[in-house]
Structures are given as C-alpha cells and as structure tokens.
Amino acid sequence: MKWINAYCADRGRPDAIPPVSGRPWILRTSQFRRTLAWFITRRPGGTIAAAIQYRHLSIQMFEGYAGTSRSGFRAEAQQEQTLARGDRLAAMVDGHEHHRLHGPAAVEAAARLDRFGDRIRFLGKTPDEAQMRKLMTRNDPRIYPGTFVTCSDNPDRRLCRPPAEAADAPSLPECRPLACNNAAFTETNTAAWCNQLALLNAQLERGGILPPLVRDRLARRRDGISTFLDKPLPTNASEAST
C-alpha cells in the first residue's frame, strides 16, 4: 500500500489508494476472490472446460487453498458460473441458435430455451446481473453449453455420472456427447468436432512416430467422430417446420 501511494505521488498519478476512516486500507487476498471467480468462469468453455489442463487448474483452485467452504471462493465461483451460463443462454435465444440445434435432445433443449426466452422477454429489457441471478434461480433451463456439446440435462439419461451419484449438474469433463441422449449440438459445436477431426487426421499422418496403442486410440476416436459427422442427426422440430 505504501509503495503504491509513494509511486503515485512521485509520478503525479491520481490513482493512489485513499485511506479508509483515516487509516491505510489493508489489502487481503480474500478481497479479490470475486474478481478471480469472474475471470475463471468466463474463460472459453467455462469453469469445467473440456481441456484437461484447464479442468485441473479449476479443480485445484476450488478444492485447494482457495476453494475451502470457509473462504467462500467456491460459492463465488459457482455463482459466477451460473451467471455466465445464463448470459450465454440468453445470447443463444436472442440469436435463435436454439432453433438450429441438432442431436437427440435438440427438441427438448429448444423447448426449454423458448420458455427461458419468454421469461427474458417478460422483463422488457436485457436482464442485469440481479435479474439474471433471479432468473437462473427460479427458471434455470438446465442447458449447459460446452465446446463440443450443448447438454440438455436430464439426470435419468446422464452418462457422465454414475446412476447412484446425486448431483445438481452434469459433469462436462466426463461427458460422452457422441453416445448421450442429453446431447444437442449447435453449429459451433459441429465446427469444433470438424476441427477435432482435422487435428486427429494430422496426428495420425505422423505414421510410425506414434506408439501403436496411441495410434489405435486416436484412430478409433477419429472413426467415431467421422461416423458422427457423416450421419444425419435428428433435427429440431421448429427448424424442420420452417
């Protein structure tokens, strides 16, 4: 604090940290937890992004020193994650993306998002943070957008969690989108699968550089994605009628 204020004074900067009640303000790491939660949850793909490395980082933060219930960080991050998801779903509705969904859960997801959109339109304006928090608390459509899939969560159909596990939300890092009946796919999801297929093809072209087991695993994944992209997917009924 003293260094910051001395630095500002020496350079004529107006952004020194003022005293509070006549005393220097004491900085604590807990004061930054909401800011940190905001940035984590608004990373591409959200807190539980498909990338293993990012998932590892998030879990460490939630369950480690910053993620204890006493610190309150986990609750802050979960709240920001829900708000970020609400903002993303509102953008999907505004752009009519939910009427261009494909996949086994496309019709169900579109219906949920239509109802969510009705709630937003009832407000007569773009919801602010407090309104979005209330919307997601009372009318959460339980749609979870991800890089490769848009999950229309139904606990009875989940493949990402054991049947006996009681959980409020799906586990996107454990998602099996090419097999799960909760899966719906946006155009962006499909583009991500195309990029993944191109990446796998490039890796397999290395030939003998890859160990046989790794090559076999990549080839099976490549074939699964190719089959998924080649077959016609069930289409959202609202799109088919237009």
Side-chain angles (χ1 to χ4, degrees):
M1 175 72 72
K2 291 180 180 179
W3 184 90
I4 293 173
N5 286 343
Y7 181 92
C8 292
D10 291 343
R11 289 160 177 78
R13 295 179 61 96
D15 46 355
I17 302 175
V20 177
S21 300
R23 297 181 179 181
W25 181 257
I26 299 175
L27 291 175
R28 297 184 177 88
T29 56
S30 61
Q31 295 165 3
F32 297 96
R33 69 187 187 199
R34 184 172 179 83
T35 300
L36 183 57
W38 192 96
F39 279 103
I40 287 177
T41 55
R42 282 165 170 76
R43 289 284 297 273
T47 305
I48 48 176
I52 294 176
Q53 182 65 31
Y54 182 54
R55 175 192 171 202
H56 176 66
L57 174 63
S58 299
I59 289 176
Q60 277 192 323
M61 286 190 167
F62 289 159
E63 305 296 345
Y65 71 94
T68 61
S69 58
R70 183 171 57 185
S71 74
F73 179 86
R74 185 184 182 96
E76 294 278 4
Q78 288 176 334
Q79 183 181 76
E80 289 297 337
Q81 183 181 353
T82 299
L83 289 174
R85 183 164 59 87
D87 290 341
R88 176 68 186 97
L89 296 179
M92 286 182 66
V93 172
D94 187 58
H96 304 287
E97 292 180 57
H98 61 308
H99 290 158
R100 299 192 297 274
L101 289 169
H102 298 272
V107 173
E108 179 181 7
R112 293 186 192 182
L113 289 173
D114 273 333
R115 291 192 293 270
F116 186 67
D118 289 341
R119 297 286 184 177
I120 293 175
R121 284 186 287 273
F122 181 77
L123 296 174
K125 63 174 184 177
T126 301
D128 57 27
E129 182 175 315
Q131 290 170 327
M132 182 58 74
R133 183 179 293 109
K134 185 180 295 185
L135 274 173
M136 293 300 287
T137 299
R138 297 180 178 178
N139 304 285
D140 187 347
R142 300 189 62 79
I143 304 294
Y144 296 82
T147 302
F148 294 100
V149 66
T150 299
C151 176
S152 180
D153 183 44
N154 181 331
D156 295 333
R157 299 197 302 252
R158 288 176 184 166
L159 297 181
C160 58
R161 296 187 184 276
E165 181 179 342
D168 293 333
S171 175
L172 291 188
E174 308 301 329
C175 181
R176 295 164 55 191
L178 302 187
C180 185
N181 285 327
N182 282 341
F185 303 94
T186 64
E187 294 169 347
T188 302
N189 294 147
T190 303
W193 283 113
C194 291
N195 291 336
Q196 182 73 4
L197 180 61
L199 177 62
L200 289 171
N201 283 329
Q203 291 175 324
L204 288 167
E205 286 176 1
R206 297 175 183 174
I209 297 177
L210 294 172
L213 289 177
V214 174
R215 181 176 180 80
D216 179 69
R217 182 178 179 182
L218 292 178
R220 284 188 283 111
R221 179 164 176 79
R222 186 268 316 272
D223 294 343
I225 295 174
S226 294
T227 300
F228 163 71
L229 292 174
D230 288 342
K231 70 180 180 181
L233 292 170
T235 305
N236 182 348
S238 63
E239 181 189 13
S241 63
T242 58

